[in-house]
Amino acid sequence: MSQDSKKKSNLINALEFKTSTFSVPVLMLASDDMGLLEQLLAQKIKQAPEFFKNSPLVLDLQEINKQGFIVDIIALVDLIRKAGLILVGVRAGNVLQNKQSLDLGVPVYAAQGRESIVESQRLTKFQVETPPTIESDKPQEIKVTVPTTLITHPIRSGQRIYAAGDIVIMAQVSAGAEIIAEGNIHVYSTLRGRALAGVLGDIDARIFCFDLQAELISIAGNYKVSEDLGASVRNKPVQIYLKDKSLIIKDIVLHH
Amino acid sequence: MARVIVVTSGKGGVGKTTTSAAIAMGLAKRGHKTAVIDFDVGLRNLDLIMGCERRVVYDFVNVINEEATLNQALIRDKNCNLLYILPASQTRDKDALSQEGVGRVLDELKKDFKYIVCDSPAGIEKGAHLAMYFADDAFVVTNPEVSSVRDSDRMLGILSSKSRRAEQNEEPINEFLLLTRYSPERVKLGEMLSVDDVQDILSLHLLGVIPESKSVLNASNSGTPVILDEKSDAGQAYADIVARYLGEERPHRFIDDKKGFFRNLFGGK
Ligand SMILES: Nc1ncnc2c1ncn2[C@@H]1O[C@H](COP(=O)(O)OP(=O)(O)OP(=O)(O)O)[C@@H](O)[C@H]1O
Ligand SMILES: [Mg+2]
């Protein structure tokens, strides 16, 4: 091989994309008390300073969001960076948290689960509409529209789907499957698995299904298990919504 | 184009190996060069059902480890010269199989065979995963009882999310339901789910129903796939299944009663 052609082939190989799997520590938080978090983090790092020094870290918000805590992502990211850790991702954030993370240059990962099919691209593709006139003293209101997730194949036992907005499923949801949405859930077939709507606390979220045989239904954390579902609501099209903190199950088709 | 068929179930003991042997023989008898692979490393028994256990020299793991060539390991069937068996190793464990190695062996087989039937081990762990990973078609073997149906559903989820076709965003695996060990009398007594009940839960294309039959035990004792017992109900049921898979229309047989367990349980619709 001549010098020249060697150089050329080196140039061709100069850049290559590959996928690799790394193991990275994940920080799970279950409190919104910044002072406490700072203190606990410092304690942990003290136990193994070499391990944590410049260590990459993924921040998991699942627990925080599940418990309905409000955290300031910007402050949290700052706190982590000050502790000498390098934040390489935020996981299981809601739409707003994801946007804030991306603004800080931190990549966003969807919630983790067994065989979860997560619409991660959708999470990052939301549109933000700012009202045209903003009064400076009021906190800026951001309206966020998340596209609806459409699923046309059956959701089988063991599968888990998380949608950052509404989800429409055109096939059955098997027993042992789990549908989790920040918004509404529509199932145009039999719902045998679990359906959790409004998981981040939206009490106006609803569940609609063609044939209710669910193992569990939940809206904003208020749930009913299969045993609680009487014969009068089973095996037919119903909608489920929240009224004064209790789940109401009603026929979709209204009889006059 | 060669097609890779996985015979799978999730639950153990439902009739995967019986089915793999029968349909592989059926396809070969219909003139298609077919190979059947035992993925049940450590618990091999496909070779027993095929009656070739005394001719095993090399196995699937030897081929993957390049300790033997495919031609050295493939055993030609004694009843049909278009059928070859690739036996599993008795002495290794499932970790002896690697995705890269399985892919390599299947690619080599595809050059020479029309159908490659993969007999999956039970469970959803590594062996079962590798058996289904490269599949084009899946025969989901299910018994008419709740736990088997549930496991099949779980396996269908894995087929649609963890297979090569799913990972590479290709056309999904064709999934077919095979309901085996079906006994219309027991369905009538409410001891078993009916065909309708199972289809209602799985919503899957039914390729055929194989009745519970003594002929299956006789066939495995004599080391000949039951499909060769042309007078038996199970043999005929498997022949129908092969014909339907190849695109022929055949009316379903061996389903007597339609009234089912769930309908009895919930007092009808
Ligand atoms: N249609 C049938 N009628 C009667 N017995 C059957 C039938 N199908 C299978 N069997 C019996 O059920 C048992 C299990 O069958 P087989 O070995 O084919 O199942 P498998 O799914 O391969 O099991 P494993 O999960 O252990 O690999 C065997 O004893 C077999 O003879
Ligand atoms: Mg077997």
Side-chain angles (χ1 to χ4, degrees):
Chain A
M1 210 191 266
S2 75
Q3 269 319 44
D4 231 35
S5 64
K6 214 180 214 165
K7 210 171 184 180
K8 219 180 233 164
S9 78
N10 276 347
L11 274 181
I12 292 169
N13 294 332
L15 193 144
E16 195 180 354
F17 279 110
K18 283 200 167 161
T19 27
S20 266
T21 317
F22 298 93
S23 70
V24 176
V26 175
L27 180 63
M28 318 274 272
L29 297 182
S31 164
D32 55 356
D33 181 343
M34 285 291 171
L36 182 70
L37 290 175
E38 188 167 21
Q39 202 183 331
L40 291 176
L41 191 60
Q43 264 174 30
K44 280 269 182 241
I45 292 175
K46 223 166 140 192
Q47 286 168 8
E50 277 313 304
F51 174 77
F52 283 113
K53 193 174 169 195
N54 290 335
S55 166
L57 183 84
V58 169
L59 175 61
D60 190 312
L61 298 172
Q62 184 150 1
E63 219 25 61
I64 281 203
N65 288 334
K66 227 201 254 152
Q67 305 196 6
F69 288 134
I70 312 286
V71 285
D72 182 355
I73 293 296
I74 299 164
L76 205 50
V77 169
D78 197 36
L79 187 155
I80 289 166
R81 287 180 173 161
K82 282 213 174 101
L85 297 159
I86 300 171
L87 196 59
V88 296
V90 165
R91 188 167 75 181
N94 62 26
V95 179
L96 195 63
Q97 292 163 341
N98 287 346
K99 164 152 178 33
Q100 289 177 324
S101 306
L102 287 172
D103 285 345
L104 292 167
V106 179
V108 164
Y109 299 101
Q112 193 199 28
R114 257 189 323 165
E115 283 133 49
S116 44
I117 306 163
V118 184
E119 305 294 306
S120 49
Q121 308 96 305
R122 289 169 194 257
L123 286 179
T124 56
K125 265 202 280 177
F126 56 79
Q127 306 120 23
V128 178
E129 298 164 17
T130 10
T133 50
I134 306 158
E135 289 159 51
S136 55
D137 53 344
K138 266 196 189 164
Q140 183 174 328
E141 211 176 281
I142 302 177
K143 231 203 264 163
V144 179
T145 334
V146 183
T148 299
T149 304
L150 175 70
I151 307 266
T152 53
H153 54 80
I155 311 299
R156 303 289 186 179
S157 171
Q159 291 187 312
R160 198 165 169 238
I161 295 203
Y162 188 96
D166 289 1
I167 184 164
V168 175
I169 301 170
M170 307 291 294
Q172 65 170 26
V173 177
S174 293
E178 196 168 39
I179 311 298
I180 306 165
E182 293 176 18
N184 304 300
I185 296 175
H186 304 253
V187 180
Y188 292 103
S189 181
T190 309
L191 171 60
R192 294 194 178 88
R194 301 162 147 248
L196 296 90
V199 280
L200 297 186
D202 182 359
I203 55 171
D204 294 325
R206 291 187 181 209
I207 299 170
F208 304 84
C209 68
F210 256 33
D211 182 357
L212 179 68
Q213 301 181 27
E215 293 172 320
L216 180 141
I217 45 173
S218 164
I219 292 171
N222 301 274
Y223 65 89
K224 274 194 165 135
V225 293
S226 174
E227 243 184 35
D228 307 331
L229 305 177
S232 61
V233 295
R234 278 184 166 275
N235 301 309
K236 59 178 178 187
V238 294
Q239 60 164 318
I240 301 153
Y241 57 92
L242 210 52
K243 198 175 171 194
D244 303 329
K245 290 204 169 166
S246 63
L247 284 183
I248 311 290
I249 306 175
K250 269 231 171 83
D251 289 14
I252 288 182
V253 189
L254 291 175
H255 307 284
H256 294 285
Chain B
M1 268 298 278
R3 288 200 80 80
V4 176
I5 303 171
V6 63
V7 178
T8 187
S9 68
K11 191 169 159 67
V14 296
K16 292 180 293 296
T17 302
T18 305
T19 299
S20 300
I23 60 156
M25 177 61 80
L27 290 165
K29 279 275 171 197
R30 300 278 305 247
H32 304 290
K33 195 170 178 189
T34 301
V36 55
I37 308 179
D38 191 347
F39 274 76
D40 209 344
V41 176
L43 282 172
R44 65 168 219 228
N45 54 31
L46 179 70
D47 48 345
L48 291 171
I49 308 281
M50 301 296 302
C52 66
E53 73 279 7
R54 299 199 299 171
R55 289 190 285 146
V56 175
V57 183
Y58 296 109
D59 58 53
F60 192 18
V61 173
N62 292 135
V63 179
I64 285 182
N65 293 344
E66 296 178 324
E67 296 151 0
T69 65
L70 247 183
N71 282 334
Q72 286 175 310
L74 284 170
I75 303 171
R76 178 186 284 202
D77 185 75
K78 60 187 182 210
N79 293 301
C80 180
N81 60 13
L82 286 175
L83 179 59
Y84 290 78
I85 299 116
L86 185 54
S89 171
Q90 186 76 286
T91 53
R92 312 288 186 96
D93 61 27
K94 298 206 179 354
D95 292 330
L97 300 179
S98 65
Q99 181 157 307
E100 181 270 328
V102 171
R104 192 159 28 82
V105 173
L106 289 177
D107 279 343
E108 202 176 331
L109 284 168
K110 278 184 184 174
K111 290 183 200 149
D112 204 21
F113 287 88
K114 178 78 214 301
Y115 294 106
I116 301 151
V117 178
C118 303
D119 178 18
S120 174
I124 52 172
E125 304 305 322
K126 190 173 178 192
H129 185 266
L130 287 174
M132 69 86 199
Y133 185 75
F134 297 97
D136 302 305
D137 302 313
F139 288 13
V140 180
V141 179
T142 307
N143 289 167
E145 40 123 3
V146 173
S147 65
S148 173
V149 172
R150 180 69 66 92
D151 286 2
S152 292
D153 193 68
R154 179 104 171 79
M155 186 46 78
L156 286 162
I158 293 170
L159 291 171
S160 66
S161 60
K162 294 281 171 91
S163 61
R164 185 182 56 86
R165 282 174 174 269
E167 284 182 4
Q168 304 195 346
N169 250 325
E170 290 173 23
E171 185 109 330
I173 295 177
N174 288 314
E175 302 159 340
F176 302 101
L177 173 64
L178 269 75
L179 198 53
T180 63
R181 310 201 66 165
Y182 196 74
S183 159
E185 299 76 55
R186 296 192 57 197
V187 171
K188 211 174 203 165
L189 291 171
E191 296 172 356
M192 269 186 182
L193 300 178
S194 72
V195 180
D196 287 352
D197 292 334
V198 176
Q199 275 194 290
D200 191 36
I201 299 174
L202 292 179
S203 47
L204 205 59
H205 179 73
L206 178 70
L207 205 53
V209 174
I210 297 103
E212 173 78 22
S213 168
K214 274 210 183 69
S215 60
V216 173
L217 188 62
N218 294 339
S220 66
N221 283 338
S222 66
T224 45
V226 69
I227 199 167
L228 292 178
D229 184 354
E230 288 167 13
K231 291 205 194 65
S232 70
D233 48 359
Q236 291 173 13
Y238 277 119
D240 283 355
I241 280 171
V242 170
R244 286 189 201 108
Y245 175 70
L246 293 174
E248 286 171 34
E249 295 239 2
R250 298 239 175 142
H252 283 286
R253 300 192 265 173
F254 315 109
I255 314 170
D256 257 349
D257 202 282
K258 292 229 162 138
K259 198 162 164 63
F261 180 77
F262 271 167
R263 225 141 287 161
N264 290 341
L265 208 69
F266 296 128
K269 273 190 191 170

Coordinates of all heavy atoms in Angstrom, one line a residue, chain B residues 13 15-18 38 40 43 45-46 119-122, ligand 2:
Chain B
G13 N -43.6 -28.1 28.6 CA -44.3 -29.3 28.5 C -45.7 -29.2 27.8 O -46.5 -30.0 28.0
G15 N -46.0 -29.1 24.4 CA -45.9 -29.8 23.1 C -45.1 -29.2 22.0 O -45.3 -29.4 20.8
K16 N -44.1 -28.4 22.4 CA -43.2 -27.7 21.5 C -42.4 -28.7 20.7 O -42.3 -28.6 19.4 CB -42.3 -26.8 22.2 CG -42.9 -25.6 22.8 CD -41.9 -24.7 23.4 CE -41.2 -25.3 24.7 NZ -42.1 -25.6 25.8
T17 N -41.8 -29.6 21.4 CA -40.9 -30.6 20.7 C -41.7 -31.5 19.8 O -41.4 -31.8 18.6 CB -40.0 -31.4 21.7 OG1 -39.3 -30.4 22.5 CG2 -39.1 -32.3 21.0
T18 N -42.9 -32.0 20.3 CA -43.8 -32.8 19.5 C -44.2 -32.1 18.2 O -44.1 -32.6 17.1 CB -45.0 -33.1 20.3 OG1 -44.7 -33.7 21.6 CG2 -46.0 -34.0 19.6
D38 N -32.6 -28.3 17.7 CA -33.0 -28.4 19.1 C -32.2 -27.3 19.9 O -31.0 -27.3 20.0 CB -32.6 -29.8 19.6 CG -33.2 -30.0 21.0 OD1 -33.6 -29.1 21.7 OD2 -33.1 -31.2 21.4
D40 N -32.8 -26.7 23.0 CA -32.9 -27.0 24.4 C -31.6 -27.6 24.9 O -31.6 -28.8 25.3 CB -34.1 -28.0 24.7 CG -34.7 -27.8 26.1 OD1 -34.0 -27.2 26.9 OD2 -35.8 -28.3 26.3
L43 N -31.0 -30.3 27.8 CA -32.2 -31.2 28.0 C -32.7 -31.8 26.7 O -33.8 -31.9 26.5 CB -33.3 -30.4 28.6 CG -33.3 -30.0 30.1 CD1 -34.4 -29.0 30.4 CD2 -33.5 -31.2 31.0
N45 N -34.2 -33.5 23.7 CA -35.0 -34.6 23.5 C -35.6 -34.7 22.1 O -36.3 -35.6 21.8 CB -36.0 -34.8 24.6 CG -36.9 -33.6 24.8 OD1 -37.1 -32.8 23.9 ND2 -37.3 -33.4 26.0
L46 N -35.3 -33.7 21.3 CA -35.8 -33.7 19.9 C -35.3 -35.0 19.2 O -36.0 -35.6 18.4 CB -35.3 -32.4 19.1 CG -35.7 -32.4 17.7 CD1 -37.3 -32.2 17.5 CD2 -35.0 -31.3 16.9
D119 N -36.8 -25.5 17.6 CA -37.5 -26.0 18.8 C -37.0 -25.3 20.0 O -35.9 -25.5 20.5 CB -37.3 -27.6 18.9 CG -38.0 -28.1 20.1 OD1 -38.9 -27.5 20.7 OD2 -37.7 -29.3 20.5
S120 N -37.9 -24.4 20.6 CA -37.4 -23.6 21.7 C -37.5 -24.3 23.0 O -38.4 -25.1 23.2 CB -38.3 -22.3 21.7 OG -38.1 -21.6 22.9
P121 N -36.6 -24.0 23.9 CA -36.8 -24.5 25.3 C -37.9 -23.7 26.0 O -38.4 -22.7 25.5 CB -35.5 -24.2 26.0 CG -34.9 -23.1 25.2 CD -35.4 -23.3 23.8
A122 N -38.4 -24.2 27.1 CA -39.4 -23.5 27.9 C -38.8 -22.2 28.5 O -37.6 -22.1 28.5 CB -40.0 -24.4 29.0
Ligands
MG2 MG -39.2 -29.5 24.3

